[in-house]
């Protein structure tokens, strides 16, 4: 009896809900529109990055369209294709695949839309990027070594929870090893790297890797984990083995959960990244570009060491 | 039940989803109506009329970007302005920085400038704001752009091609999946097979067939190898389902894991991009009427699948197996072989999807196709094929895939943020399944 009616209702309801969400966005066309596609919005780093870009763009009278590739290079390519149809004035990408992003860049270049990258650089041979902004991962790796030397008083056995699939992590590990080697030469530091294991940049895999580490090296003193999830995985393994506090951990990132662990004394320190600075400078690059000014090809944002003393003062952790 | 209502139910069953697609298109057209700028020579024409009233001897600076259309605009505008007796002080085709240099040059000459003719995209450049303070010698030039007409962004040719292009891979997958679902099975491995085919083909090209110097024939060979491997895997999962009577859900879940792992092993977790330019032919090239090759391929796949399902014995057997396996077996349908075919064809088409994706992105990576099996299942279900087997058709699947593509594209165009997009897509799938239920209640089967 009421089948056609409810069918119509379904369709109308769907249309109405879509309409409600879209109407406001379609109303007026502001000065310049920036299309953004980040790696994933599930990671707070990229959420902060996107939010700071939107805020900075607003401060310059521009608006943003924020999308996320969610690690899917094809999805990101589609998002860029939609930006091109919408005739955005500039595009900011955190490429889902540094090497496969080339065809996407070429598409935007052909449409005359300038592309900027943030956090992750394009390693593709083709396609033009106006400017890239990222954390100074190499410098951050050095800071991590400084922190671990400090935590261990310059001696002991350490391990690295690595994730060499990511370009940024390769730089972190390289910086760590170089700084350690330098301090060994110059300052009489006697720290030995006894193992470098893959932790998948993830909590679960890092926890298992740390458990194995503790079996192989019962006298381990310190761990450098290349990001916060790895560091937190190591923390979990140490707690499970009843050895928390005995092995010093240095992480990387400064995610809220990592900072909380630093405050609790479970992680010694993090070189922290500043996604908000990265976002601001990416937008300022666009402002410069549209004003006809020169844009620097690459801007590296230095990290800063964040220890328990900083965590105790951090208003975000209250 | 009255005759009229029966007819309505039949009509809805056959055209309901197509109707929803049309409604969606109409809706997104309505909310994306914006000023559409003319481009190229046409835009130049409209500007000349406007500018010739400005009086002879007025100096004009033309600003456009470096794209083909913009260059054409700049070139023809220059010729026409000069014919109309105006003075063209300069032509910029490039970036804001180039515009700054040219403005600085004219400013330094002290000649003054009456008009800046810029394409609409260039008119938003901030270098063109506050000109009198930045370049005092120019005077206060008027900035003019080609006239605009109101037209929905959704309905532009480029956008419609985008929609088609964006759904090609999922659509090809879902065509194959329709076969399997018609037999009352499911194939969860299709997403992983995309990655596997892409990795196998690109790795063959890189390591065995000449890398970036590979010839067209080598590329075809590599693609066929990827397809063949996927077909074999499909045959294997079909064989497991048929001979050990395993639920297809479990069998293909295992294959999904194994195929994904294999793709990671073969690529060592990296993306393989050492392939020639020409490998983008399928994914990015266009053919007759400007139709992308990938879209043509998709249409061919659907035409073939439609003919197979509606005109051949095998097609009728697929329906029979899904409708009532026991009855089909008793009436002499080779149930095992029909199912084997369904899984093999599904896997082969997943492999084809992988080849298309590798071509679109000009590289192969083991992360391709993650969770695409869910999109494909959604397309099949939205398209009206019943998960309980035996009912549905492949044209419905195409409509289902298009509905998903249109919703995704429409939400991107209207700036719906990505969390909301997921919610909406989920609701659409739910609505489609509910619709399927309602159809069942009032369709011909309801009276049994």
């Amino acid at each position: 009896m009421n089948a056609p009616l409810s069918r119509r209702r379904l369709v109308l309801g769907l249309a109405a809900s879509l309409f409600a969400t879209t109407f406001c966005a379609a109303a007026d066309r502001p000065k310049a529109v920036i299309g953004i596609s980040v790696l994933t919005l599930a990671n707070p780093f990229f959420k902060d990055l996107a939010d700071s870009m939107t805020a900075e763009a607003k401060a310059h009278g521009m608006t943003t369209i924020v999308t996320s590739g969610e690690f899917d290079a094809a999805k990101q390519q589609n998002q860029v294709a939609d930006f091109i149809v919408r005739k955005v004035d500039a595009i900011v990408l955190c490429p889902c695949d540094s090497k496969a992003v080339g065809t996407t860049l070429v598409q935007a270049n052909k449409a005359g839309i300038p592309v900027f990258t943030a956090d992750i650089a394009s390693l593709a041979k083709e396609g033009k990027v106006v400017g890239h902004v990222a954390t100074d991962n190499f410098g951050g790796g050095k800071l991590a070594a400084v922190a671990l030397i400090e935590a261990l008083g310059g001696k002991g056995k350490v391990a690295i929870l690595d994730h060499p699939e990511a370009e940024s992590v390769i730089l972190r590990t390289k910086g760590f090893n170089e700084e350690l080697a330098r301090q060994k030469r110059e300052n009489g530091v006697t720290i030995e790297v006894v193992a470098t294991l893959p932790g998948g940049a993830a909590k679960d895999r890092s926890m298992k890797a740390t458990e194995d580490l503790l079996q192989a090296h019962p006298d381990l003193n310190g761990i450098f984990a290349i990001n916060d999830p790895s560091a937190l995985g190591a923390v979990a393994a140490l707690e499970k083995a009843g050895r928390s506090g005995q092995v010093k951990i240095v992480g990387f990132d400064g995610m809220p959960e990592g900072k909380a662990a630093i405050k609790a004394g479970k992680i010694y320190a993090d070189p922290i990244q500043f996604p908000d600075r990265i976002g601001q400078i990416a937008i300022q690059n666009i402002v410069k570009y549209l004003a006809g000014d020169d844009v620097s090809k690459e801007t590296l944002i230095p990290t800063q060491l964040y220890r328990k003393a900083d965590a105790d003062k951090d208003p975000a952790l209250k | 039940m009255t005759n009229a209502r029966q007819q309505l139910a039949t009509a809805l069953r056959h055209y309901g989803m197509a109707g929803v697609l049309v409604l969606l298109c109409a809706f997104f057209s309505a909310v994306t109506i914006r000023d559409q700028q003319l481009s190229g020579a046409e835009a130049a024409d409209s500007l000349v009329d406007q500018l010739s009233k400005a009086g002879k001897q007025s100096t004009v600076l033309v600003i456009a970007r470096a794209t083909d259309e913009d260059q054409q605009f700049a070139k023809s505008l220059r010729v026409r302005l000069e014919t109309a007796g105006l003075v063209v002080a300069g032509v910029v085709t490039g970036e804001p920085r180039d515009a700054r240099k040219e403005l600085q040059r004219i400013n330094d000459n002290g000649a003054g400038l009456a008009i800046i003719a810029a394409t609409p995209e260039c008119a938003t450049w901030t270098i063109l704001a506050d000109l009198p303070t930045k370049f005092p010698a120019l005077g206060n030039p008027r900035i003019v752009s080609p006239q605009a007409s109101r037209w929905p962004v959704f309905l532009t040719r480029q956008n419609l091609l985008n929609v088609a292009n964006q759904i090609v891979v999922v659509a090809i997958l879902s065509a194959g999946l329709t076969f399997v679902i018609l037999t009352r099975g499911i194939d969860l491995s299709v997403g992983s097979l995309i990655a596997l085919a892409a990795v196998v083909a690109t790795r063959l090209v890189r390591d065995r067939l000449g890398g970036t110097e590979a010839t067209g024939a080598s590329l075809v060979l590599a693609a066929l190898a990827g397809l063949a491997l996927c077909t074999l895997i499909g045959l294997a999962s079909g064989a497991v389902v048929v001979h050990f009577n395993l639920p297809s859900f479990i069998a293909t879940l295992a294959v999904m894991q194994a195929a994904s792992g294999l793709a990671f092993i073969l690529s060592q977790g990296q993306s393989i991009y050492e392939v020639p330019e020409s490998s983008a032919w399928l994914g990015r090239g266009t053919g007759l009427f400007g139709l992308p090759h990938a879209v043509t391929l998709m249409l061919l796949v659907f035409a073939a699948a439609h003919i197979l399902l509606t005109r051949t014995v095998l097609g009728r057997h697929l329906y029979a197996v899904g409708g009532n396996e026991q009855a089909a077996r008793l009436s002499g349908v080779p149930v095992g072989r029909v199912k084997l075919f369904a899984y093999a064809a599904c896997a082969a088409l997943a492999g084809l999807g992988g080849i298309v994706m590798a071509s679109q992105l000009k590289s192969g990576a083991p992360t391709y196709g993650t969770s695409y099996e869910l999109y494909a299942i959604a397309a099949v279900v939205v398209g009206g094929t019943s998960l309980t087997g035996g009912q549905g058709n492949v044209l419905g699947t195409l409509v289902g895939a298009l509905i998903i593509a249109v919703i995704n594209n429409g939400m991107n165009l209207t700036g719906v943020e990505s969390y909301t997009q997921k919610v909406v897509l989920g609701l659409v799938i739910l609505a489609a399944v509910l619709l399927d239920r309602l159809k069942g209640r009032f369709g011909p089967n309801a009276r049994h």
Side-chain angles (χ1 to χ4, degrees):
Chain A
M1 186 76 182
N2 57 4
L5 188 65
S6 30
R7 223 163 280 148
R8 206 176 303 144
R9 262 198 210 140
L10 266 178
V11 174
L12 280 180
L14 180 67
S17 61
L18 280 172
F19 195 72
T21 46
T22 55
F23 187 72
C24 317
D28 56 335
R29 192 184 155 83
K31 254 168 46 184
V33 182
I34 303 169
I36 298 171
S37 175
V38 296
L39 182 65
T40 167
L41 282 171
N43 181 332
F45 178 89
F46 291 101
K47 182 85 173 76
D48 287 352
L49 181 66
D51 288 349
S52 86
M53 283 197 269
T54 302
E56 185 73 12
K58 202 173 167 195
H60 287 99
M62 305 188 283
T63 55
T64 55
I65 309 163
V66 177
T67 63
S68 153
E70 296 301 334
F71 302 100
D72 183 344
K75 187 173 176 186
Q76 191 164 53
Q77 189 173 47
N78 290 344
Q79 286 164 346
V80 170
D82 289 336
F83 289 153
I84 293 170
V85 169
R86 283 190 74 177
K87 302 197 171 174
V88 298
D89 298 282
I91 293 172
V92 183
L93 290 184
C94 309
C96 288
D97 184 327
S98 300
K99 285 160 188 164
V101 75
T103 50
T104 308
L105 295 178
V106 168
Q107 248 180 315
N109 292 158
K110 260 195 201 146
I113 302 174
V115 184
F116 300 76
T117 50
D119 187 54
I120 305 164
S122 157
L123 298 177
K125 285 167 293 177
E126 50 185 358
K128 188 174 161 251
V129 172
V130 180
H132 173 63
V133 191
T135 295
D136 178 6
N137 285 300
F138 183 72
K142 286 182 165 182
L143 278 186
V146 168
L148 203 54
I149 291 167
E150 181 185 290
L152 299 181
K155 52 183 189 295
K157 291 185 177 173
V158 302
I160 301 175
L161 287 177
D162 205 1
H163 180 61
E165 281 87 344
E167 191 73 18
S168 54
V169 173
I170 295 175
L171 287 171
R172 288 174 198 179
T173 319
K174 197 167 165 232
F176 180 86
N177 284 324
E178 282 192 15
E179 177 68 14
L180 198 59
R182 192 185 69 79
Q183 296 242 25
K184 276 162 99 168
R185 267 198 322 273
E186 296 174 8
N187 300 344
V189 166
T190 57
I191 289 178
E192 213 56 55
V193 178
V194 293
T196 302
L197 288 186
K203 258 190 212 177
D204 49 349
R205 275 190 64 193
S206 294
M207 178 171 167
K208 286 176 199 147
T210 307
E211 283 173 351
D212 296 344
L213 262 178
L214 292 175
Q215 295 302 317
H217 305 279
D219 52 348
L220 195 72
N221 305 104
I223 293 174
F224 167 43
I226 51 77
N227 70 354
D228 272 348
S230 327
L232 292 162
V235 167
L238 288 176
E239 282 176 349
K240 196 176 154 208
R243 295 189 55 188
S244 43
Q246 296 169 23
V247 179
K248 302 285 182 205
I249 299 170
V250 171
F252 204 108
D253 277 348
M255 283 165 39
E257 199 182 347
K259 284 182 171 175
I262 291 174
K263 189 173 182 183
K266 292 174 181 166
I267 297 178
Y268 177 75
D270 260 17
I272 56 169
Q273 308 196 68
F274 298 96
D276 49 338
R277 290 287 299 144
I278 296 177
Q280 280 164 3
I281 297 196
I283 297 297
Q284 284 161 14
N285 274 346
I286 294 175
V287 172
K288 281 187 197 162
Y289 174 89
L290 291 177
D293 293 333
D294 287 329
V295 177
S296 69
K297 282 289 304 171
E298 188 183 56
T299 315
L300 292 181
I301 312 289
T303 55
Q304 240 171 43
L305 269 187
Y306 182 96
R307 304 175 179 85
K308 190 170 182 339
D310 303 297
D312 288 336
K313 281 179 288 185
D314 196 336
L317 292 178
K318 283 283 181 298
Chain B
M1 201 176 260
T2 64
N3 200 23
R5 198 188 303 155
Q6 240 174 349
Q7 274 175 358
L8 186 65
T10 316
L12 268 168
R13 186 163 55 253
H14 287 137
Y15 305 111
M17 277 302 151
V20 170
L21 180 61
V22 171
L23 271 180
L24 276 172
C25 291
F27 170 73
F28 282 121
S29 301
V31 295
T32 58
I33 292 180
R34 292 205 200 126
D35 287 345
Q36 290 296 305
Q37 318 296 350
L38 297 172
S39 60
E42 227 184 339
D45 280 343
S46 84
L47 258 191
V48 172
D49 294 342
Q50 214 180 324
L51 290 183
S52 47
K53 294 175 201 125
K56 305 226 162 189
Q57 300 307 315
S58 301
T59 49
V60 184
L61 171 64
V62 179
I63 301 183
R65 296 171 308 169
T67 63
D68 294 346
E69 277 185 343
D70 275 25
Q71 301 232 16
Q72 213 178 357
F73 162 82
K75 214 167 89 187
S76 52
L77 186 60
R78 165 175 224 153
V79 174
R80 271 165 238 210
L81 286 177
E82 279 170 349
T83 328
L86 285 91
V87 181
V88 177
V91 175
V92 177
T93 49
E95 298 181 358
R97 203 166 29 161
D98 305 313
R100 168 179 286 264
K101 276 185 209 145
E102 188 64 9
L103 285 165
Q104 195 66 52
R105 187 186 65 81
I106 298 170
N107 184 63
D108 294 347
N109 286 348
L113 197 59
I115 295 161
I116 294 177
T119 60
E121 290 84 6
C122 298
T124 58
W125 292 354
T126 42
I127 179 68
L128 298 184
D130 283 336
L131 284 174
T133 37
K134 287 185 222 159
F135 307 102
L138 291 183
N140 191 8
R142 195 154 58 92
I143 299 169
V144 291
S145 295
Q147 274 177 341
S149 57
R150 307 274 295 164
W151 185 258
V153 178
F154 179 82
L155 277 188
T156 54
R157 183 189 141 76
Q158 199 194 352
N159 187 57
L160 292 177
L161 284 181
N162 266 354
V163 173
N165 241 333
Q166 290 174 8
I167 204 60
V168 165
V169 174
V170 170
I172 290 177
L173 281 192
S174 58
L177 202 56
T178 307
F179 295 152
V180 173
I181 291 182
L182 276 178
T183 67
R184 205 171 187 167
I186 194 94
D187 189 343
L188 297 178
S189 66
V190 288
S192 302
L193 291 177
I194 288 187
L196 187 61
V199 165
V200 165
T202 49
R203 176 143 184 220
L204 271 177
V205 171
R206 184 187 69 181
D207 295 350
R208 298 261 179 267
L209 297 169
T212 50
E213 307 297 321
T215 59
S218 313
L219 292 178
V220 172
L221 192 67
L224 287 177
L227 284 187
L229 178 62
C230 287
T231 313
L232 283 178
I233 291 177
L235 273 175
S237 43
V240 171
V241 169
V242 170
H243 292 296
F244 299 98
N245 210 12
L246 268 189
S248 53
F249 182 85
I250 300 299
T252 57
L253 186 69
V255 174
M256 165 188 174
Q257 292 294 332
S260 169
L262 198 56
F264 270 95
I265 293 170
L266 288 175
S267 63
Q268 286 151 347
Q270 302 286 319
S271 87
I272 300 170
Y273 58 98
E274 294 88 348
V275 292
E277 287 295 314
S278 53
S279 63
W281 180 85
L282 180 62
R284 309 221 66 84
T286 51
L288 273 184
F289 312 116
L291 210 58
H293 295 313
V295 175
T296 314
L297 177 69
M298 173 184 84
L299 294 175
L300 286 176
V301 164
F302 273 90
H306 181 67
I307 291 171
L308 188 142
L309 280 182
T310 54
R311 300 285 151 85
T312 66
V313 178
L314 180 56
R316 257 172 289 145
H317 284 174
L318 280 165
Y319 282 101
V321 169
N324 187 334
E325 192 172 325
Q326 203 57 35
R329 185 168 286 128
L330 290 175
S331 49
V333 173
V335 172
R337 263 184 288 156
V338 169
K339 282 190 171 179
L340 271 185
F341 165 79
Y343 287 92
C346 180
L349 286 174
L352 187 60
I355 300 300
V356 171
M357 194 183 270
S359 173
Q360 282 177 340
L361 293 163
K362 248 177 65 190
S363 55
T367 50
Y368 287 1
T370 314
S371 74
Y372 273 47
E373 60 277 353
L374 300 180
Y375 290 116
I377 294 171
V380 175
V381 174
V382 169
T385 296
S386 169
L387 280 172
T388 50
Q391 273 184 20
N393 63 74
V394 77
L395 294 185
T397 300
L398 182 59
V399 171
L402 285 173
I403 285 179
I404 290 175
V406 163
I407 291 175
N408 268 328
N409 169 264
M411 289 195 292
N412 278 346
L413 290 187
T414 46
V416 178
E417 52 111 18
S418 55
Y419 296 150
T420 319
Q421 292 201 2
K422 282 188 172 180
V423 176
V424 172
L425 209 59
L427 290 177
V428 168
I429 294 167
L430 190 64
V433 181
L434 286 178
L435 206 63
D436 187 50
R437 268 295 140 88
L438 289 173
K439 274 187 325 204
R441 201 175 295 168
F442 291 93
N445 299 337
R447 280 173 296 167
H448 296 303

